[in-house]
Amino acid sequence: MSTLVPPHGSRTLKPLLLEGKALGEEIAKAGSLKKVPMTSRETSDLIMMGIGAFTPLSGFMGYDDWKRCCDSYQLPSAKNLFWPIPITLSAEPWLADSVKIGEEVALWDTETDALMGTMKVSEKYVIDKEHECKQVFRTTDPKHPGVQKVMEQAPVNLAGPAKVVSESYYPEMFKGIYQRPVEARKLFEERGWTTVAALQLRNPMHGSHAYLAWIAIEVCDGVYIHQLVGKLKEGDIPAEVRVRAIDALVNKYFRKERVIQGGYPMEMRYAGPREALLHAVFRQNYGCSHLIVGRDHAGVGDYYGPFDAQKIFFEIPPDALVLKPLPLDWTFYCYECGAMASMKTCPHESKAVIDENGQYKGGARLMLSGTLLRKLMSEGKPVPSEFSKPEVIAILKAYYDTLEQKVEIKLHGHATGEAKK
Ligand SMILES: [Zn+2]
Protein backbone atom coordinates (compact mmCIF):
# COMPACT_ATOMS: atom_id res chain seq x y z
CA MET A 1 0.00 0.00 0.00
CA SER A 2 1.19 3.51 -0.78
CA THR A 3 2.56 5.52 2.10
CA LEU A 4 2.39 8.76 0.10
CA VAL A 5 -0.06 11.54 0.97
CA PRO A 6 -3.58 10.97 -0.46
CA PRO A 7 -4.84 13.09 -3.36
CA HIS A 8 -6.67 16.31 -2.39
CA GLY A 9 -10.15 15.61 -1.00
CA SER A 10 -10.24 12.12 -2.48
CA ARG A 11 -8.91 8.64 -1.86
CA THR A 12 -7.95 8.23 -5.51
CA LEU A 13 -6.82 10.49 -8.33
CA LYS A 14 -9.65 11.64 -10.62
CA PRO A 15 -8.18 12.19 -14.08
CA LEU A 16 -10.77 13.36 -16.62
CA LEU A 17 -8.73 12.16 -19.59
CA LEU A 18 -10.52 9.44 -21.55
CA GLU A 19 -8.75 6.35 -22.84
CA GLY A 20 -9.26 3.59 -25.40
CA LYS A 21 -12.72 3.13 -26.88
CA ALA A 22 -14.33 5.93 -24.83
CA LEU A 23 -11.74 8.37 -26.17
CA GLY A 24 -12.43 7.50 -29.83
CA GLU A 25 -16.19 7.71 -29.30
CA GLU A 26 -15.98 11.10 -27.57
CA ILE A 27 -13.81 12.55 -30.36
CA ALA A 28 -16.26 11.28 -32.99
CA LYS A 29 -19.22 12.76 -31.08
CA ALA A 30 -17.50 16.12 -30.60
CA GLY A 31 -17.48 16.70 -34.36
CA SER A 32 -21.18 17.60 -34.25
CA LEU A 33 -21.01 19.79 -31.11
CA LYS A 34 -20.79 23.58 -30.87
CA LYS A 35 -17.20 24.77 -30.41
CA VAL A 36 -16.36 26.78 -27.30
CA PRO A 37 -12.93 28.41 -27.75
CA MET A 38 -10.68 28.45 -24.69
CA THR A 39 -7.96 30.89 -23.66
CA SER A 40 -4.48 29.46 -23.07
CA ARG A 41 -5.12 29.55 -19.31
CA GLU A 42 -8.41 27.66 -19.67
CA THR A 43 -6.74 25.05 -21.90
CA SER A 44 -3.93 24.51 -19.41
CA ASP A 45 -6.47 24.18 -16.57
CA LEU A 46 -8.41 21.60 -18.59
CA ILE A 47 -5.24 19.55 -19.14
CA MET A 48 -4.50 19.75 -15.39
CA MET A 49 -7.99 18.29 -14.79
CA GLY A 50 -7.31 15.73 -17.54
CA ILE A 51 -4.23 14.32 -15.82
CA GLY A 52 -5.78 14.37 -12.34
CA ALA A 53 -3.57 17.22 -11.09
CA PHE A 54 -6.73 19.14 -10.12
CA THR A 55 -8.36 16.17 -8.35
CA PRO A 56 -11.21 16.14 -7.34
CA LEU A 57 -12.56 18.77 -9.77
CA SER A 58 -14.93 17.25 -12.34
CA GLY A 59 -15.12 20.25 -14.66
CA PHE A 60 -15.30 24.04 -14.78
CA MET A 61 -16.82 25.69 -11.70
CA GLY A 62 -20.36 27.03 -11.33
CA TYR A 63 -21.32 30.33 -9.69
CA ASP A 64 -21.57 29.12 -6.08
CA ASP A 65 -18.16 27.46 -6.24
CA TRP A 66 -16.69 30.53 -7.98
CA LYS A 67 -18.05 32.87 -5.30
CA ARG A 68 -17.13 30.83 -2.25
CA CYS A 69 -13.74 29.93 -3.72
CA CYS A 70 -12.99 33.66 -4.14
CA ASP A 71 -14.28 34.60 -0.69
CA SER A 72 -13.43 31.69 1.59
CA TYR A 73 -11.46 29.06 -0.33
CA GLN A 74 -14.38 26.64 -0.31
CA LEU A 75 -16.30 24.59 -2.87
CA PRO A 76 -19.95 24.15 -1.82
CA SER A 77 -20.39 21.49 -4.53
CA ALA A 78 -17.73 19.32 -2.84
CA LYS A 79 -18.71 19.53 0.86
CA ASN A 80 -16.89 22.86 1.19
CA LEU A 81 -13.57 21.34 0.18
CA PHE A 82 -10.62 23.75 0.31
CA TRP A 83 -9.75 25.29 -3.09
CA PRO A 84 -7.73 28.50 -3.52
CA ILE A 85 -8.32 29.80 -7.09
CA PRO A 86 -11.45 29.61 -9.29
CA ILE A 87 -11.12 27.30 -12.28
CA THR A 88 -13.57 28.71 -14.81
CA LEU A 89 -14.38 28.77 -18.52
CA SER A 90 -15.50 31.95 -20.31
CA ALA A 91 -17.56 32.41 -23.47
CA GLU A 92 -18.84 35.32 -25.58
CA PRO A 93 -22.51 36.21 -24.87
CA TRP A 94 -23.75 35.22 -28.35
CA LEU A 95 -22.22 31.79 -27.93
CA ALA A 96 -23.44 31.35 -24.35
CA ASP A 97 -26.97 32.41 -25.45
CA SER A 98 -26.96 29.78 -28.19
CA VAL A 99 -26.08 26.96 -25.79
CA LYS A 100 -28.92 25.29 -23.88
CA ILE A 101 -28.57 24.00 -20.34
CA GLY A 102 -27.81 20.29 -20.60
CA GLU A 103 -26.24 20.70 -24.04
CA GLU A 104 -22.84 19.20 -24.70
CA VAL A 105 -20.19 21.44 -26.23
CA ALA A 106 -16.74 20.86 -27.72
CA LEU A 107 -13.87 22.58 -25.84
CA TRP A 108 -11.48 24.00 -28.38
CA ASP A 109 -7.90 25.21 -27.99
CA THR A 110 -7.56 28.29 -30.20
CA GLU A 111 -3.75 28.29 -30.10
CA THR A 112 -3.33 24.84 -31.68
CA ASP A 113 -6.80 24.76 -33.29
CA ALA A 114 -7.53 21.41 -31.69
CA LEU A 115 -10.30 19.63 -29.80
CA MET A 116 -9.33 19.29 -26.14
CA GLY A 117 -12.49 17.94 -24.53
CA THR A 118 -16.23 18.17 -24.13
CA MET A 119 -18.47 19.61 -21.42
CA LYS A 120 -22.13 19.17 -20.53
CA VAL A 121 -23.21 22.74 -19.74
CA SER A 122 -25.02 22.84 -16.39
CA GLU A 123 -24.91 26.58 -15.76
CA LYS A 124 -24.26 29.96 -17.41
CA TYR A 125 -23.41 32.97 -15.25
CA VAL A 126 -21.79 36.37 -15.20
CA ILE A 127 -19.14 37.22 -12.60
CA ASP A 128 -17.86 40.40 -11.04
CA LYS A 129 -14.35 40.19 -12.52
CA GLU A 130 -12.99 42.95 -10.30
CA HIS A 131 -14.13 41.04 -7.26
CA GLU A 132 -12.30 37.92 -8.45
CA CYS A 133 -9.14 39.96 -9.08
CA LYS A 134 -9.29 41.66 -5.68
CA GLN A 135 -9.70 38.34 -3.90
CA VAL A 136 -7.29 36.22 -5.93
CA PHE A 137 -4.60 38.72 -6.98
CA ARG A 138 -5.06 41.33 -4.19
CA THR A 139 -5.10 43.97 -6.93
CA THR A 140 -7.16 45.13 -9.90
CA ASP A 141 -4.16 46.76 -11.58
CA PRO A 142 -4.55 45.94 -15.30
CA LYS A 143 -0.75 45.74 -15.61
CA HIS A 144 -0.71 42.59 -13.45
CA PRO A 145 -0.48 39.69 -15.96
CA GLY A 146 -3.03 37.52 -14.10
CA VAL A 147 -5.51 40.37 -13.67
CA GLN A 148 -5.12 41.21 -17.34
CA LYS A 149 -6.19 37.70 -18.37
CA VAL A 150 -9.27 37.73 -16.13
CA MET A 151 -10.33 41.20 -17.33
CA GLU A 152 -9.84 40.17 -20.98
CA GLN A 153 -11.71 36.87 -20.76
CA ALA A 154 -15.18 36.69 -22.33
CA PRO A 155 -18.05 37.99 -20.12
CA VAL A 156 -20.10 34.82 -19.50
CA ASN A 157 -18.88 31.73 -17.64
CA LEU A 158 -19.99 28.24 -18.64
CA ALA A 159 -19.87 25.46 -16.06
CA GLY A 160 -20.32 21.72 -16.08
CA PRO A 161 -18.68 18.30 -15.95
CA ALA A 162 -15.92 17.89 -18.52
CA LYS A 163 -14.27 15.03 -20.38
CA VAL A 164 -10.74 15.52 -21.67
CA VAL A 165 -9.54 14.01 -24.95
CA SER A 166 -6.06 15.54 -25.38
CA GLU A 167 -2.99 16.72 -23.49
CA SER A 168 -2.02 18.87 -26.50
CA TYR A 169 1.67 18.93 -27.42
CA TYR A 170 3.02 18.34 -23.91
CA PRO A 171 3.65 14.56 -23.94
CA GLU A 172 5.50 14.79 -27.26
CA MET A 173 7.29 18.13 -26.90
CA PHE A 174 8.40 17.50 -23.32
CA LYS A 175 9.08 13.77 -23.58
CA GLY A 176 10.95 12.48 -20.56
CA ILE A 177 10.01 15.44 -18.37
CA TYR A 178 6.23 15.84 -18.68
CA GLN A 179 4.60 13.76 -15.97
CA ARG A 180 1.08 12.92 -14.84
CA PRO A 181 0.46 12.61 -11.08
CA VAL A 182 -0.04 8.85 -11.37
CA GLU A 183 3.41 8.52 -12.96
CA ALA A 184 5.15 10.70 -10.36
CA ARG A 185 3.51 8.70 -7.55
CA LYS A 186 4.72 5.46 -9.12
CA LEU A 187 8.31 6.76 -9.26
CA PHE A 188 8.14 7.88 -5.61
CA GLU A 189 6.75 4.49 -4.56
CA GLU A 190 9.40 2.58 -6.49
CA ARG A 191 12.02 4.39 -4.43
CA GLY A 192 10.16 3.71 -1.21
CA TRP A 193 9.61 7.39 -0.47
CA THR A 194 6.96 8.51 2.02
CA THR A 195 7.82 12.18 2.34
CA VAL A 196 8.57 14.17 -0.80
CA ALA A 197 9.27 17.88 -1.06
CA ALA A 198 8.31 19.64 -4.28
CA LEU A 199 10.64 22.35 -5.56
CA GLN A 200 8.76 24.64 -7.93
CA LEU A 201 10.95 25.96 -10.74
CA ARG A 202 10.28 28.19 -13.72
CA ASN A 203 13.81 29.57 -14.13
CA PRO A 204 17.22 27.87 -14.42
CA MET A 205 18.33 26.12 -11.24
CA HIS A 206 21.10 28.14 -9.64
CA GLY A 207 23.07 27.70 -6.44
CA SER A 208 20.32 28.99 -4.19
CA HIS A 209 17.77 26.54 -5.68
CA ALA A 210 20.24 23.70 -5.20
CA TYR A 211 20.60 24.75 -1.58
CA LEU A 212 16.80 24.61 -1.12
CA ALA A 213 16.80 21.11 -2.65
CA TRP A 214 19.58 19.92 -0.32
CA ILE A 215 17.70 21.26 2.72
CA ALA A 216 14.56 19.45 1.54
CA ILE A 217 16.47 16.18 1.18
CA GLU A 218 17.76 16.59 4.75
CA VAL A 219 14.18 16.57 6.08
CA CYS A 220 12.31 14.45 3.49
CA ASP A 221 12.97 11.15 1.69
CA GLY A 222 13.45 12.92 -1.62
CA VAL A 223 12.96 16.07 -3.63
CA TYR A 224 10.74 16.43 -6.69
CA ILE A 225 12.14 19.18 -8.92
CA HIS A 226 8.89 20.19 -10.57
CA GLN A 227 9.22 22.52 -13.52
CA LEU A 228 6.65 24.54 -15.31
CA VAL A 229 6.57 23.49 -18.94
CA GLY A 230 3.48 25.58 -19.69
CA LYS A 231 3.54 28.89 -21.50
CA LEU A 232 6.49 31.18 -20.92
CA LYS A 233 6.98 34.91 -20.92
CA GLU A 234 9.25 36.29 -23.61
CA GLY A 235 12.91 36.17 -22.57
CA ASP A 236 12.44 33.10 -20.35
CA ILE A 237 14.72 30.14 -20.90
CA PRO A 238 13.01 27.19 -22.66
CA ALA A 239 12.18 24.11 -20.59
CA GLU A 240 14.47 21.85 -22.62
CA VAL A 241 17.51 23.98 -21.69
CA ARG A 242 16.44 24.15 -18.05
CA VAL A 243 16.04 20.36 -17.93
CA ARG A 244 19.56 19.78 -19.25
CA ALA A 245 20.98 22.25 -16.73
CA ILE A 246 19.19 20.47 -13.86
CA ASP A 247 20.46 17.09 -15.11
CA ALA A 248 24.01 18.44 -15.12
CA LEU A 249 23.61 19.72 -11.57
CA VAL A 250 21.92 16.58 -10.24
CA ASN A 251 24.40 14.21 -11.92
CA LYS A 252 27.37 15.81 -10.25
CA TYR A 253 26.17 17.35 -6.99
CA PHE A 254 23.26 15.22 -5.74
CA ARG A 255 22.65 11.64 -4.73
CA LYS A 256 20.62 10.65 -7.77
CA GLU A 257 18.37 8.30 -5.79
CA ARG A 258 17.09 11.33 -3.82
CA VAL A 259 16.00 13.46 -6.80
CA ILE A 260 13.27 13.13 -9.43
CA GLN A 261 12.58 15.71 -12.12
CA GLY A 262 9.16 16.33 -13.62
CA GLY A 263 7.22 18.92 -15.61
CA TYR A 264 3.63 20.13 -15.42
CA PRO A 265 1.54 22.03 -17.98
CA MET A 266 -0.19 24.75 -15.94
CA GLU A 267 0.08 28.37 -17.02
CA MET A 268 1.35 30.85 -14.41
CA ARG A 269 -1.20 33.29 -13.03
CA TYR A 270 1.40 35.14 -10.91
CA ALA A 271 -1.14 35.23 -8.06
CA GLY A 272 1.58 35.04 -5.38
CA PRO A 273 0.13 33.67 -2.12
CA ARG A 274 -3.07 32.26 -3.64
CA GLU A 275 -1.09 30.59 -6.37
CA ALA A 276 1.26 29.08 -3.80
CA LEU A 277 -1.84 27.40 -2.33
CA LEU A 278 -2.87 26.10 -5.77
CA HIS A 279 0.68 24.81 -6.23
CA ALA A 280 0.25 23.02 -2.90
CA VAL A 281 -3.06 21.43 -3.96
CA PHE A 282 -1.71 19.97 -7.17
CA ARG A 283 1.63 18.92 -5.59
CA GLN A 284 -0.38 16.93 -3.07
CA ASN A 285 -2.08 15.27 -6.03
CA TYR A 286 1.36 14.48 -7.43
CA GLY A 287 2.13 12.70 -4.14
CA CYS A 288 4.25 15.37 -2.45
CA SER A 289 4.02 15.78 1.32
CA HIS A 290 5.79 19.16 1.32
CA LEU A 291 6.11 22.21 -0.89
CA ILE A 292 9.19 24.40 -0.64
CA VAL A 293 7.96 27.98 -0.40
CA GLY A 294 10.78 30.46 -0.81
CA ARG A 295 10.88 34.19 -1.26
CA ASP A 296 8.10 35.72 -3.40
CA HIS A 297 6.71 32.35 -4.54
CA ALA A 298 4.67 32.74 -7.76
CA GLY A 299 4.85 36.51 -7.46
CA VAL A 300 5.43 39.17 -10.08
CA GLY A 301 6.67 42.77 -9.75
CA ASP A 302 6.13 44.04 -6.21
CA TYR A 303 2.46 43.12 -5.78
CA TYR A 304 3.18 40.79 -2.85
CA GLY A 305 5.36 40.96 0.23
CA PRO A 306 8.39 38.64 -0.05
CA PHE A 307 6.95 36.18 2.47
CA ASP A 308 3.17 36.59 1.91
CA ALA A 309 3.14 33.19 0.18
CA GLN A 310 4.51 31.58 3.36
CA LYS A 311 2.18 33.44 5.74
CA ILE A 312 -0.96 32.38 3.88
CA PHE A 313 -0.37 28.71 4.76
CA PHE A 314 -0.85 29.64 8.40
CA GLU A 315 -4.03 31.65 7.70
CA ILE A 316 -5.98 28.79 6.09
CA PRO A 317 -7.67 26.12 8.24
CA PRO A 318 -5.11 23.60 9.54
CA ASP A 319 -6.93 20.69 7.90
CA ALA A 320 -7.22 22.39 4.47
CA LEU A 321 -4.36 20.35 3.02
CA VAL A 322 -2.43 17.23 3.96
CA LEU A 323 0.66 18.68 2.30
CA LYS A 324 2.66 21.06 4.48
CA PRO A 325 4.71 24.06 3.40
CA LEU A 326 8.47 24.04 3.88
CA PRO A 327 8.98 27.79 4.32
CA LEU A 328 12.57 28.79 3.60
CA ASP A 329 14.14 32.19 3.77
CA TRP A 330 15.94 34.11 1.02
CA THR A 331 19.10 32.09 0.28
CA PHE A 332 22.46 33.05 -1.24
CA TYR A 333 26.19 32.38 -1.04
CA CYS A 334 27.97 34.43 1.62
CA TYR A 335 31.68 35.14 1.22
CA GLU A 336 31.99 35.96 4.94
CA CYS A 337 30.25 32.73 6.05
CA GLY A 338 32.13 30.92 3.30
CA ALA A 339 28.96 28.90 2.60
CA MET A 340 25.40 28.93 1.29
CA ALA A 341 23.28 30.79 3.82
CA SER A 342 19.98 32.56 4.29
CA MET A 343 18.67 35.77 5.81
CA LYS A 344 17.80 33.62 8.81
CA THR A 345 21.34 32.33 9.37
CA CYS A 346 23.80 34.88 7.98
CA PRO A 347 24.71 37.97 10.05
CA HIS A 348 26.67 39.70 7.27
CA GLU A 349 24.42 42.25 5.66
CA SER A 350 26.66 43.71 2.97
CA LYS A 351 26.14 42.73 -0.64
CA ALA A 352 28.96 41.05 -2.54
CA VAL A 353 30.30 43.16 -5.40
CA ILE A 354 31.06 41.39 -8.67
CA ASP A 355 32.60 43.62 -11.31
CA GLU A 356 31.98 43.61 -15.06
CA ASN A 357 34.72 41.03 -15.52
CA GLY A 358 33.12 38.59 -13.11
CA GLN A 359 35.71 39.25 -10.42
CA TYR A 360 34.80 39.31 -6.73
CA LYS A 361 35.56 42.74 -5.29
CA GLY A 362 34.42 42.39 -1.67
CA GLY A 363 31.28 42.28 0.44
CA ALA A 364 29.35 39.29 1.78
CA ARG A 365 26.08 38.16 0.18
CA LEU A 366 26.18 37.14 -3.48
CA MET A 367 22.97 38.10 -5.29
CA LEU A 368 23.87 38.17 -8.95
CA SER A 369 21.30 39.92 -11.12
CA GLY A 370 20.01 38.19 -14.23
CA THR A 371 21.21 41.10 -16.37
CA LEU A 372 24.80 40.93 -15.08
CA LEU A 373 24.75 37.14 -15.38
CA ARG A 374 23.74 37.32 -19.01
CA LYS A 375 26.29 40.06 -19.74
CA LEU A 376 29.12 37.99 -18.23
CA MET A 377 28.08 34.91 -20.18
CA SER A 378 27.68 36.69 -23.51
CA GLU A 379 31.14 38.25 -23.14
CA GLY A 380 32.72 34.92 -22.19
CA LYS A 381 33.71 36.21 -18.76
CA PRO A 382 33.71 33.98 -15.67
CA VAL A 383 30.53 33.66 -13.59
CA PRO A 384 31.36 33.12 -9.90
CA SER A 385 31.03 29.39 -9.20
CA GLU A 386 29.38 30.34 -5.89
CA PHE A 387 26.40 31.55 -7.91
CA SER A 388 25.99 28.66 -10.31
CA LYS A 389 28.05 25.55 -11.02
CA PRO A 390 30.25 25.66 -14.16
CA GLU A 391 28.26 22.79 -15.73
CA VAL A 392 25.07 24.88 -15.51
CA ILE A 393 26.77 28.03 -16.79
CA ALA A 394 28.15 26.13 -19.81
CA ILE A 395 24.67 24.96 -20.84
CA LEU A 396 23.09 28.40 -20.39
CA LYS A 397 25.96 30.05 -22.24
CA ALA A 398 25.56 27.69 -25.22
CA TYR A 399 21.87 28.61 -25.31
CA TYR A 400 22.54 32.35 -25.21
CA ASP A 401 25.18 31.95 -27.93
CA THR A 402 22.60 30.44 -30.30
CA LEU A 403 20.28 33.37 -29.55
CA GLU A 404 22.99 35.87 -30.36
CA GLN A 405 23.74 34.13 -33.64
CA LYS A 406 20.07 34.46 -34.52
CA VAL A 407 20.08 38.15 -33.63
CA GLU A 408 23.15 38.68 -35.83
CA ILE A 409 21.51 36.92 -38.76
CA LYS A 410 18.43 39.08 -38.34
CA LEU A 411 20.45 42.30 -38.22
CA HIS A 412 22.28 41.23 -41.33
CA GLY A 413 18.92 40.65 -43.04
CA HIS A 414 17.87 44.22 -42.27
CA ALA A 415 21.17 45.59 -43.50
CA THR A 416 20.78 44.02 -46.92
CA GLY A 417 17.15 45.04 -47.12
CA GLU A 418 15.97 41.42 -47.25
CA ALA A 419 13.75 41.82 -44.23
CA LYS A 420 11.52 44.30 -46.08
CA LYS A 421 10.53 41.87 -48.84
ZN1 LIG B 1 27.27 35.53 6.11
Side-chain angles (χ1 to χ4, degrees):
M1 215 188 94
S2 174
T3 55
L4 298 170
V5 292
H8 183 55
S10 173
R11 291 173 66 163
T12 54
L13 288 167
K14 306 249 186 249
L16 306 184
L17 193 63
L18 299 177
E19 288 174 349
K21 194 163 163 251
L23 174 64
E25 285 172 2
E26 199 66 19
I27 292 172
K29 188 179 77 182
S32 61
L33 303 177
K34 261 174 221 152
K35 281 185 190 176
V36 174
M38 295 186 291
T39 65
S40 59
R41 188 201 72 208
E42 291 160 354
T43 299
S44 80
D45 286 346
L46 185 71
I47 299 172
M48 290 293 275
M49 291 192 268
I51 61 180
F54 279 173
T55 295
L57 298 190
S58 60
F60 287 104
M61 291 179 186
Y63 180 82
D64 289 345
D65 281 351
W66 171 80
K67 180 85 170 76
R68 286 277 286 285
C69 178
C70 285
D71 295 347
S72 54
Y73 307 100
Q74 287 176 319
L75 302 182
S77 72
K79 297 180 185 161
N80 290 334
L81 181 73
F82 173 81
W83 198 275
I85 292 184
I87 305 298
T88 57
L89 172 69
S90 63
E92 293 298 339
W94 65 266
L95 179 59
D97 283 345
S98 78
V99 174
K100 289 188 250 349
I101 296 297
E103 186 176 334
E104 286 185 278
V105 293
L107 303 175
W108 209 263
D109 177 25
T110 38
E111 189 195 348
T112 57
D113 192 28
L115 174 72
M116 297 301 298
T118 62
M119 186 175 83
K120 190 168 187 176
V121 178
S122 60
E123 198 183 333
K124 307 186 251 184
Y125 62 101
V126 173
I127 57 163
D128 178 348
K129 290 181 181 180
E130 287 205 356
H131 181 71
E132 176 172 331
C133 291
K134 260 184 229 158
Q135 298 297 96
V136 172
F137 300 103
R138 301 184 177 182
T139 175
T140 54
D141 182 353
K143 289 203 268 312
H144 184 294
V147 170
Q148 199 178 355
K149 290 208 169 158
V150 172
M151 296 315 283
E152 282 173 359
Q153 75 193 29
V156 185
N157 279 359
L158 300 180
K163 290 174 184 164
V164 181
V165 302
S166 168
E167 292 162 276
S168 193
Y169 46 75
Y170 291 103
E172 198 49 47
M173 193 182 285
F174 301 104
K175 220 177 211 163
I177 186 76
Y178 176 74
Q179 260 162 16
R180 303 174 190 113
V182 67
E183 293 162 343
R185 284 173 171 271
K186 192 162 168 274
L187 290 171
F188 301 162
E189 279 164 11
E190 281 167 4
R191 297 203 182 184
W193 292 356
T194 297
T195 53
V196 187
L199 173 63
Q200 149 85 20
L201 269 191
R202 61 180 149 114
N203 290 314
M205 187 166 171
H206 292 308
S208 53
H209 301 117
Y211 183 55
L212 298 179
W214 287 320
I215 294 173
I217 294 169
E218 292 290 357
V219 295
C220 292
D221 296 330
V223 67
Y224 185 43
I225 300 176
H226 209 196
Q227 294 213 57
L228 178 117
V229 292
K231 268 196 136 173
L232 293 166
K233 292 202 306 287
E234 199 157 331
D236 284 349
I237 295 180
E240 175 268 328
V241 179
R242 286 181 277 139
V243 168
R244 273 194 291 129
I246 293 171
D247 278 342
L249 200 60
V250 170
N251 285 339
K252 190 153 176 201
Y253 302 98
F254 282 81
R255 293 195 67 93
K256 277 184 234 169
E257 72 272 21
R258 297 282 175 192
V259 185
I260 291 173
Q261 255 206 84
Y264 66 97
M266 193 180 82
E267 187 170 303
M268 286 292 297
R269 285 168 162 81
Y270 302 98
R274 283 259 191 166
E275 186 150 357
L277 294 174
L278 187 62
H279 284 173
V281 167
F282 77 76
R283 262 46 177 268
Q284 188 181 318
N285 285 330
Y286 269 89
C288 299
S289 58
H290 292 79
L291 172 67
I292 298 170
V293 186
R295 184 183 163 274
D296 199 26
H297 188 106
V300 62
D302 54 2
Y303 291 98
Y304 310 105
F307 299 104
D308 284 358
Q310 298 183 352
K311 282 181 211 148
I312 201 165
F313 280 90
F314 301 94
E315 291 161 12
I316 57 171
D319 60 350
L321 292 160
V322 181
L323 173 146
K324 297 295 169 210
L326 201 57
L328 296 176
D329 214 316
W330 194 352
T331 57
F332 43 80
Y333 181 85
C334 173
Y335 285 93
E336 291 285 333
C337 292
M340 292 301 302
S342 80
M343 297 285 189
K344 208 172 169 184
T345 63
C346 163
H348 313 104
E349 300 204 347
S350 69
K351 250 178 132 175
V353 179
I354 302 296
D355 74 8
E356 292 200 337
N357 295 310
Q359 300 301 316
Y360 168 68
K361 290 288 166 191
R365 295 172 174 177
L366 177 63
M367 288 153 186
L368 203 49
S369 79
T371 319
L372 177 57
L373 180 68
R374 187 156 174 188
K375 187 173 174 339
L376 292 175
M377 284 195 289
S378 67
E379 293 172 3
K381 288 176 180 151
V383 173
S385 60
E386 293 81 6
F387 177 75
S388 207
K389 297 290 186 199
E391 294 82 0
V392 174
I393 294 297
I395 290 168
L396 297 182
K397 187 177 171 339
Y399 166 69
Y400 281 127
D401 284 350
T402 61
L403 281 192
E404 257 129 52
Q405 279 162 13
K406 272 183 209 152
V407 172
E408 274 168 25
I409 290 160
K410 209 164 132 198
L411 289 174
H412 182 69
H414 276 282
T416 57
E418 278 171 13
K420 284 179 190 155
K421 282 178 194 166

